[in-house]
Every structure is written in structure tokens, then in C-alpha cells.
């Protein structure tokens, strides 16, 4: 507890709480109320008004709503009277524990925590026994309502804790379902660190003339931001970006690029390589822009690649990282970008990926904004694999088991796996997800530049010290940099690459591209090369001699009721050479140049 938040003048006694509560919190070592408690407790005790409290985590919010609720609760009625919703299982358990500890001297009070990833039976049993206070996550709460395992039609208090987090985690529908089930006369207390539009609309639709309590500064901004930089050769920037994303499996951030073209290229490459990424730049229509922003806000996209101008209207508060793929010339732009993380009392990280000639520019920014920039080496394959492995295990530990959905399959599965020991089972499940990662990073090269500006990888190569293993790494490095093998170069020289304004979201499939080409060309001999389907648009290759004819004739074609537009595009985006190209025959069959497209594709956890 930050001592600045504690109000030294007021005592808990003066706030109007009963002896049992005062004794319990004294046992916990609470001597004076915090700012949020000092403002909320008397208000909640004396007013029937709904309340919005803007306060960050760790300010003593749980007691701020928990103590007034305990003061007014009907101990003799075992039915749920207070429902507290919070975004995560951890927070929900913590709230239940805290309220239990505030009510140790109120023996008739029962508190139940309900959250996903744990047996529903135990939670239902606890509810059956009677609980005046229920703390829950929105998903599990909805499940319980659906199964008639909880009756919240008569609750008196509804607390929405970390409402902004709940919405940004995509719980809007669940919240609305729960709110619709509660009585109109309830008191609603909404706690949030920030007031994004979603929270405003919840308060407008579901709260009655809420009173607002604001605690502390609205945004502590740059104070909570760590500034790091990675130094690589210019051609290795993209590979470094991927490693940064991989070493931060829960990254949620914006990758800033300088131009629209760079933004598009980087986003396309990231999507191709299996990352949850998309681009935000000036070439998007308003509808496309809103769609991308919506996906980013709801965390469907983890990495948003954007230009400074396009990101201007985007207000997202809980970003973990800002990545400067190209550092700006202007230090104010750097401040503006970095200030998008480290908000609402949370820690943020601002990462610059620079090459040796940009070091001076970065030093200048650091000196102007008076921040220390920490040099950080690009992680190696082993470090990344370790991080990903533990992230995966953590995810497995917390995964919500849909008991009802899977119970029918379990007997057969148990029978199939009965000869495997616990250890073997664990190893196999881990390998299932993890092998592609290990393979991808096996022998991954060192991307860091030494002070003389040469990469460590290159030094080894120059000295001729690298054996067979290292050569495999070299090929992989070429792949990461997007250099293609001579075989691939020869193939692509015979093809033009065309852009088509239809993508997966329009339902475009390779067979449709082939169909459109067939309908447009007189000759049946033209070979179609690589087809690359992206979300909003796609690319495909056509033998060069047919390019002009196709450009003319395909332009007027329709696909799913809207006009097709095609144009000649830049060369193929860079790709890992381990992912071989496919060639498509005109009859729709696939002539493979190599392995299956998805085999060996590095998958993001
Ligand atoms: P919360 O914001 O409710 O998660 O509280 C943050 C931490 O502060 C918890 O560990 C509480 O137990 C503690 N805390 C809350 N109120 C007080 C207080 N008045 N005095 C000392 N510690 C407190």
C-alpha cells in the first residue's frame, strides 16, 4: 500500500463502521483509511446513489466497497445480496478472501468465489449452502445463471471491479446478460482505472445518475515506462521484432513504423508468420479502420502495426509495449508514442529497434526527454523457447475446462491414453504445441551487433569457425531476413505478382482465384504461382506473359457480388525459406514445390 494514499487524519471509527468490522480491519493492520476508502465509505453508507470510482489497482478499492456492503448487509438472509464482478480469476479470489478477512467477526457471513478453470460443482455446492456475497468472473457467473445455480434477482449491490479490464477482455456480452438479470433497484458501484467508451456506455445504460469519485492523477503516463533498445543490422530488424514478440508472449502493443508502405509490409509479414497482428494506416477506409481498432481493443490483435498519424485516434489504456520499429526524428513523437503505455498505474515498456547509425539519434532523444535507455540484447532461441514453454504451461494451468462439452469424449480418450504414465502424458502434450517452436529456433543466429557494428553471427562466419549446425542456422537466418534461395528466385522471375482487393474476409479461397483467372484468360496454359490470402486482400502470381491480358479482363469480374480490382504489386514479401512455395495448376489441383504450407510453420502460442 502506497503510504501517499493513506489519509492520516481520518480514522475508520469516524467513517461510521460497526465494531465487528473495525476489529477485523484492525487485526489486518489497517490503521487509517486510504483516499478511496475515505471518500467512498461514508458516501456509500449514507447515499442510495450509484457510484463510479476512478481509481487504480492497489489503492484499497476492495475495502472501499466491501466495508460499506458488510455494514449494511442482512446477515440473517443467506441469499446473495451483493455480487462483485471482476475480470480475472486471481482478482476474484483475492476479493473474496479480502471480504472474508473483513468479516471474520461476523460469523453468519459467507462469501463464495465463482470463476472458470475450476470445478463448477464445488462452487454450486457453496452457493447452495447460502452466500450473502458472491465474487465472480463474468463468464462463470453467466454459466451459473444459465444453469439456475444462482439467483441474483434480489441482489442489493452490484460491484463492477476493473470495469475497463472486463470490457477490454471482451466480457461486454456477459456483463449485459448479468446486468439484465439483476433488479433495477440495485445499487451499482463501478470501479475503473480509466473511462473508455465501453465503460461510459455501461454507466449510461445501466447506472442511475452515478456520483463520480476520482482518486489520484488520471494518468501517471511516462513515469511508469521503461525505455529499452535493441541494436541489430538494418536487415535484421524484422527478425528482431519477431523475437521481441516471442519473448513477450502476452505482448499487447503498437509497432510504430514510419511510412504506410512499411506499416503494410511489416503487418503482412507478421500475419503470414502466424502472429495476431494487423495494420492501421491511412489507406484504410473508415470501416476497415474501425474494424482493425475494434479487434485491437478487444485484444483479438496483439500487435497493431501503425503509422503515427493513423494511431492518433486510438485510445487504449492497457498496452504492455510500444515498439518503435523505426525511431522518430522528433523527440515529441517519441514521447507521444511511449506515453501510450504505462498508463493507469501499470508498468509499460517502450522498445526501440535500431541499427548502428541510429544510435546517435536515440541518444539525443534520451538526453532531451531525460530518460535512461537500457541496451538489451536480442534474445537467443534458447531464451525464447524457455519463455514460451513456461507461458504455455501457465496457460494450460489456467485453461477453463468446459466440463459439459468434453465429458462425452473423455472415456474413449482415457482408454486411448491409459498406458501412458503421468510424465509421458505431460511430455507428449507439451511437445505437441512446442516442437514447432523448438525446430524454428534451433540454431537461430545471434542478431546483436557488437560495438564495432558487426553481428556476432558474421564474426563466426568470417573466422570459418562454424560447423554444420551453424550452417543450418545461417540458412535459417537468411529465411528470417527474407532472402530466398536461388531456386525460388528463378521460379519467381517467371511470374508477376498481382494484388487483388478480395481476401479471406470476403470468403476468397485459392480455388476462387484460380476460377477468376480461368474465367479471364483465353489460354488454359498460364501457370498460377503462389497464392497468398490475407484478411482484407490477397496476392497471387501469374506467369509474366499473361499479366497484361489478366489485368484487362479480370478487372470487370465480380466476386460474391462486388467488383474485383487487381493491380501489379511489389515483389513477394520476404518469407522464411523453410516455408516452400506452392504452385497451383489451372485445374485447381496443387502442384507442390515442397512441403505442405503449414508444416513447420512457426505457430504463435
Ligand atoms: P486493493 O486495492 O483493495 O487491492 O488493496 C491493496 C492492498 O492494500 C491490499 O493488500 C489491502 O489489504 C491493503 N489495504 C487496503 N486498505 C488499507 C488500509 N487502509 N491500510 C493498510 N492497508 C490497506
Amino acid at each position: 500500500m502506497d503510504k501517499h494514499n493513506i489519509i492520516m487524519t481520518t480514522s475508520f471509527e469516524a467513517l461510521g463502521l460497526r465494531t465487528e468490522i473495525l476489529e477485523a480491519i484492525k487485526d489486518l493492520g489497517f490503521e487509517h483509511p486510504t483516499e478511496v476508502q475515505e471518500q467512498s465509505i461514508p458516501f456509500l453508507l449514507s447515499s442510495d446513489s450509484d457510484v463510479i470510482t476512478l481509481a487504480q489497482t492497489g489503492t484499497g478499492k476492495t475495502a472501499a466497497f466491501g466495508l460499506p456492503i458488510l455494514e449494511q448487509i442482512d446477515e440473517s438472509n443467506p441469499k446473495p445480496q451483493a455480487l462483485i464482478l471482476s475480470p480475472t480469476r486471481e482478482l476474484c479470489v483475492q476479493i473474496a478472501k479480502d471480504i472474508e478477512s473483513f468479516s471474520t467477526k461476523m460469523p453468519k457471513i459467507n462469501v463464495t468465489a465463482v470463476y472458470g478453470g475450476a470445478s463448477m460443482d464445488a462452487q454450486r455446492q457453496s452457493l447452495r449452502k447460502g452466500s450473502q456475497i458472491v465474487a465472480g468472473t463474468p463468464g462463470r457467473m453467466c454459466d451459473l445463471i444459465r444453469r439456475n445455480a444462482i439467483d441474483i434477482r434480489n441482489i442489493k449491490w452490484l460491484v463492477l471491479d476493473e470495469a475497463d479490464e472486463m470490457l477490454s477482455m471482451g466480457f461486454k456480452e456477459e456483463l449485459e446478460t448479468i446486468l439484465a438479470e439483476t433488479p433495477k433497484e440495485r445499487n451499482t458501484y463501478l470501479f475503473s482505472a480509466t473511462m473508455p467508451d465501453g465503460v461510459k456506455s455501461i454507466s449510461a445504460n445501466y447506472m442511475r445518475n452515478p456520483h463520480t469519485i476520482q482518486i489520484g492523477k488520471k494518468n501517471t503516463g511516462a513515469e511508469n515506462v521503461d525505455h529499452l533498445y535493441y541494436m541489430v543490422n538494418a536487415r535484421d530488424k524484422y527478425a528482431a521484432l519477431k523475437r521481441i514478440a516471442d519473448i513477450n508472449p502476452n505482448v499487447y502493443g503498437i509497432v510504430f513504423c514510419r511510412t504506410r508502405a512499411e506499416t503494410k509490409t511489416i503487418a503482412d509479414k507478421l500475419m503470414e508468420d502466424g502472429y495476431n497482428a494487423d495494420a492501421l494506416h491511412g489507406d484504410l477506409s473508415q470501416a476497415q479502420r474501425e474494424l482493425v481498432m475494434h479487434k485491437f481493443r478487444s485484444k483479438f490483435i496483439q500487435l497493431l502495426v501503425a503509422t503515427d498519424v493513423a494511431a492518433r485516434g486510438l485510445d487504449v489504456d492497457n498496452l504492455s509495449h510500444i515498439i518503435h520499429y523505426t525511431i522518430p526524428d522528433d523527440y515529441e513523437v517519441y514521447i507521444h508514442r511511449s506515453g501510450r503505455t504505462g498508463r493507469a498505474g501499470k508498468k509499460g515498456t517502450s522498445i526501440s529497434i535500431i541499427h548502428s547509425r541510429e544510435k546517435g539519434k536515440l541518444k539525443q532523444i534520451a538526453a532531451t526527454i531525460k530518460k535512461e535507455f537500457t541496451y538489451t540484447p536480442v534474445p537467443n532461441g534458447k531464451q525464447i523457447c524457455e519463455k514460451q514453454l513456461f507461458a504455455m504451461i501457465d496457460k494450460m494451468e489456467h485453461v477453463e475446462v468446459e466440463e459439459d462439452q468434453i465429458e462425452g469424449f473423455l472415456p474413449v480418450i482415457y482408454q486411448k491414453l491409459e498406458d501412458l504414465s503421468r510424465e509421458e502424458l505431460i511430455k507428449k502434450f507439451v511437445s505437441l504445441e512446442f516442437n514447432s517452436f523448438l525446430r524454428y529456433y534451433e540454431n537461430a543466429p545471434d542478431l546483436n551487433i557488437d560495438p564495432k557494428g558487426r553481428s556476432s553471427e558474421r564474426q563466426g562466419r568470417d573466422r570459418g569457425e562454424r560447423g554444420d549446425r551453424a550452417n543450418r542456422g545461417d540458412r535459417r537466418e537468411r529465411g528470417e531476413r527474407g532472402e530466398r534461395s536461388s531456386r525460388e528466385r528463378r521460379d519467381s522471375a517467371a511470374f508477376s505478382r498481382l494484388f487483388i482487393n478480395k481476401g479471406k474476409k470476403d470468403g476468397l479461397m485459392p480455388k476462387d482465384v484460380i476460377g477468376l483467372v480461368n474465367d479471364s484468360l483465353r489460354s488454359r496454359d498460364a501457370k498460377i504461382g503462389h497464392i497468398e490470402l490475407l484478411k482484407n486482400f490477397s496476392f497471387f502470381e501469374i506467369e509474366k506473359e499473361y499479366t497484361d491480358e489478366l489485368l484487362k479482363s479480370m478487372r470487370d469480374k465480380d466476386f460474391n457480388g462486388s467488383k474485383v480490382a487487381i493491380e501489379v504489386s511489389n515483389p513477394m514479401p520476404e518469407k522464411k525459406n523453410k516455408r516452400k512455395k506452392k504452385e497451383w495448376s489451372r485445374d485447381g489441383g496443387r502442384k507442390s514445390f515442397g512441403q505442405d504450407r503449414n508444416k513447420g510453420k512457426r505457430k504463435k502460442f
Side-chain angles (χ1 to χ4, degrees):
M1 168 64 43
D2 179 348
K3 68 177 185 316
H4 299 296
N5 284 324
I6 301 202
I7 305 287
M8 301 302 288
T9 48
T10 317
S11 66
F12 277 110
E13 286 78 5
L15 298 181
L17 296 164
R18 66 172 91 172
T19 322
E20 292 94 319
I21 297 176
L22 292 173
E23 281 177 8
I25 58 174
K26 196 165 172 215
D27 289 350
L28 293 173
F30 292 12
E31 288 174 12
H32 299 278
T34 65
E35 190 182 348
V36 68
Q37 293 159 4
E38 211 243 352
Q39 290 207 40
S40 304
I41 295 172
F43 189 84
L44 301 195
L45 287 177
S46 61
S47 167
D48 234 4
S49 188
D50 286 352
V51 179
I52 296 175
T53 305
L54 290 166
Q56 290 161 9
T57 43
T59 48
K61 285 182 298 167
T62 318
F65 62 78
L67 302 184
I69 288 176
L70 282 173
E71 179 65 39
Q72 299 173 87
I73 211 152
D74 177 0
E75 284 177 78
S76 58
N77 175 5
K79 293 223 165 107
Q81 295 167 52
L83 178 60
I84 301 151
L85 295 174
S86 59
T88 63
R89 150 196 178 135
E90 289 72 25
L91 189 58
C92 160
V93 169
Q94 188 58 47
I95 291 170
K97 267 194 197 148
D98 284 355
I99 297 187
E100 267 169 8
S101 68
F102 304 151
S103 61
T104 45
K105 314 276 182 216
M106 299 169 73
K108 286 190 189 153
I109 293 292
N110 286 320
V111 186
T112 295
V114 298
Y115 46 85
S119 152
M120 201 182 285
D121 287 345
Q123 296 173 2
R124 288 171 85 156
Q125 206 179 341
S126 173
L127 290 171
R128 266 200 298 274
K129 277 194 204 151
S131 276
Q132 293 92 345
I133 301 177
V134 180
T137 50
R140 177 54 59 98
M141 188 61 72
C142 276
D143 279 351
L144 291 165
I145 294 172
R146 237 177 277 130
R147 287 156 211 252
N148 288 326
I150 185 166
D151 180 2
I152 55 169
R153 284 169 305 175
N154 294 309
I155 59 157
K156 283 183 76 177
W157 298 279
L158 175 68
V159 181
L160 303 173
D161 195 18
E162 301 209 356
D164 48 354
E165 283 286 327
M166 284 198 278
L167 290 175
S168 77
M169 285 170 74
F171 285 131
K172 182 168 184 276
E173 242 174 69
E174 285 84 351
L175 285 184
E176 286 176 346
T177 307
I178 298 166
L179 280 155
E181 196 73 14
T182 57
K184 289 221 162 23
E185 320 71 63
R186 66 168 194 265
N187 275 128
T188 308
Y189 302 149
L190 184 150
F191 286 77
S192 199
T194 57
M195 270 308 262
D197 286 346
V199 178
K200 279 187 201 143
S201 98
I202 290 267
S203 85
N205 294 332
Y206 298 99
M207 296 176 80
R208 288 166 294 150
N209 297 325
H211 168 76
T212 302
I213 296 175
Q214 166 127 31
I215 304 299
K217 276 184 283 170
K218 227 178 175 177
N219 179 5
T220 45
E223 293 311 308
N224 294 331
V225 179
D226 287 333
H227 300 265
L228 313 181
Y229 71 97
Y230 293 84
M231 204 155 108
V232 295
N233 284 315
R235 63 169 180 269
D236 288 334
K237 274 193 171 188
Y238 177 65
L241 172 66
K242 284 198 299 180
R243 293 205 192 169
I244 292 165
D246 287 343
I247 199 86
N248 294 289
N250 298 320
V251 63
Y252 177 48
I254 305 179
V255 179
F256 280 101
C257 293
R258 193 188 292 266
T259 61
R260 290 172 189 192
E262 190 180 49
T263 305
K264 275 189 209 167
T265 311
I266 300 303
D268 284 353
K269 285 206 264 185
L270 284 172
M271 286 188 267
E272 269 238 338
D273 287 337
Y275 294 84
N276 297 325
D278 212 332
L280 193 67
H281 52 72
D283 287 348
L284 301 181
S285 69
Q286 186 57 24
Q288 286 172 320
R289 190 181 148 79
E290 274 168 21
L291 182 68
V292 172
M293 298 213 286
H294 170 74
K295 286 193 289 185
F296 187 53
R297 282 203 196 94
S298 54
K299 294 199 171 168
F300 188 75
I301 295 171
Q302 279 182 279
L303 286 174
L304 183 72
V305 189
T307 55
D308 290 295
V309 176
R312 224 174 254 163
L314 184 71
D315 193 21
V316 180
D317 264 334
N318 48 354
L319 300 181
S320 63
H321 289 77
I322 291 299
I323 301 175
H324 310 268
Y325 190 78
T326 33
I327 54 167
D329 293 325
D330 184 347
Y331 76 92
E332 282 190 9
V333 175
Y334 182 91
I335 294 178
H336 195 80
R337 287 179 180 181
S338 308
R340 290 174 165 278
T341 183
R343 292 186 178 182
K346 291 190 178 156
K347 270 247 156 264
T349 308
S350 175
I351 289 176
S352 301
I353 306 174
I354 61 163
H355 55 76
S356 50
R357 288 188 312 281
E358 288 175 317
K359 206 175 170 191
K361 205 192 299 181
L362 196 74
K363 260 189 173 170
Q364 224 172 8
I365 295 177
T368 316
I369 69 169
K370 299 192 173 56
K371 297 276 176 208
E372 202 167 305
F373 281 54
T374 313
Y375 169 73
T376 315
V378 178
N380 60 33
K382 184 166 177 271
Q383 291 161 331
I384 291 172
C385 287
E386 204 174 288
K387 190 75 188 245
Q388 289 283 347
L389 182 59
F390 285 110
M392 190 187 91
I393 299 300
D394 200 46
K395 203 168 152 191
M396 196 186 299
E397 198 187 343
H398 291 109
V399 70
E400 189 155 337
V401 176
E402 301 280 351
E403 310 255 3
D404 295 355
Q405 301 291 329
I406 62 165
E407 71 188 350
F409 306 107
L410 287 176
V412 183
I413 296 172
Y414 289 147
Q415 200 179 15
K416 237 176 141 37
L417 302 178
E418 72 186 353
D419 291 337
L420 295 176
S421 68
R422 181 176 182 273
E423 285 72 23
E424 282 169 327
L425 255 177
I426 293 175
K427 272 192 240 166
K428 277 180 187 283
F429 271 106
V430 168
S431 304
L432 204 63
E433 271 288 333
F434 199 54
N435 280 353
S436 63
F437 231 99
L438 286 173
R439 266 198 304 270
Y440 180 75
Y441 274 115
E442 185 193 16
N443 306 317
D446 183 355
L447 299 179
N448 295 294
I449 301 184
D450 75 356
K452 290 181 208 118
R454 302 181 334 157
S455 79
S456 338
E457 170 78 4
R458 188 142 310 155
Q459 291 165 46
R461 202 181 307 150
D462 291 350
R463 288 198 299 269
E465 285 170 2
R466 302 172 65 236
D468 207 9
R469 273 171 68 83
N471 282 330
R472 282 208 303 277
D474 181 32
R475 282 203 299 275
R476 198 178 299 271
E477 178 192 28
R478 272 207 319 262
E480 278 197 336
R481 289 184 190 153
E483 292 170 19
R484 294 200 258 139
S485 68
S486 54
R487 165 77 202 268
E488 284 173 298
R489 267 198 205 107
R490 255 202 325 277
D491 292 331
S492 54
F495 288 93
S496 297
R497 183 168 187 253
L498 299 182
F499 162 93
I500 174 167
N501 66 334
K502 299 281 172 269
K504 287 183 196 162
K505 85 167 185 346
D506 307 295
L508 191 77
M509 313 251 280
K511 71 173 172 40
D512 301 315
V513 176
I514 294 158
L516 283 165
V517 171
N518 278 338
D519 288 349
S520 311
L521 290 183
R522 276 162 302 176
S523 162
R524 293 239 133 207
D525 298 333
K527 276 205 191 103
I528 301 172
H530 182 62
I531 298 175
E532 187 189 344
L533 297 180
L534 301 172
K535 241 169 262 162
N536 298 316
F537 47 83
S538 305
F539 298 96
F540 67 95
E541 288 176 323
I542 186 79
E543 264 184 300
K544 275 214 166 117
E545 57 185 290
Y546 298 96
T547 313
D548 289 341
E549 187 188 344
L550 199 64
L551 281 174
K552 274 193 206 123
S553 52
M554 202 157 144
R555 228 162 234 165
D556 299 324
K557 294 273 174 291
D558 261 23
F559 180 70
N560 278 349
S562 80
K563 282 260 169 295
V564 166
I566 62 167
E567 58 189 56
V568 176
S569 158
N570 299 324
M572 287 289 287
E574 299 162 358
K575 244 181 230 107
K576 295 192 291 287
N577 64 349
K578 64 189 289 196
R579 294 181 53 211
K580 303 268 169 56
K581 292 204 308 174
K582 292 178 292 191
E583 186 187 13
W584 299 84
S585 69
R586 293 290 298 280
D587 58 9
R590 199 177 79 191
K591 287 200 246 157
S592 180
F593 278 157
Q595 73 216 66
D596 185 85
R597 185 184 165 98
N598 286 320
K599 255 199 198 152
K601 177 174 175 177
R602 210 213 30 64
K603 191 167 160 277
K604 178 111 181 67
F605 292 119

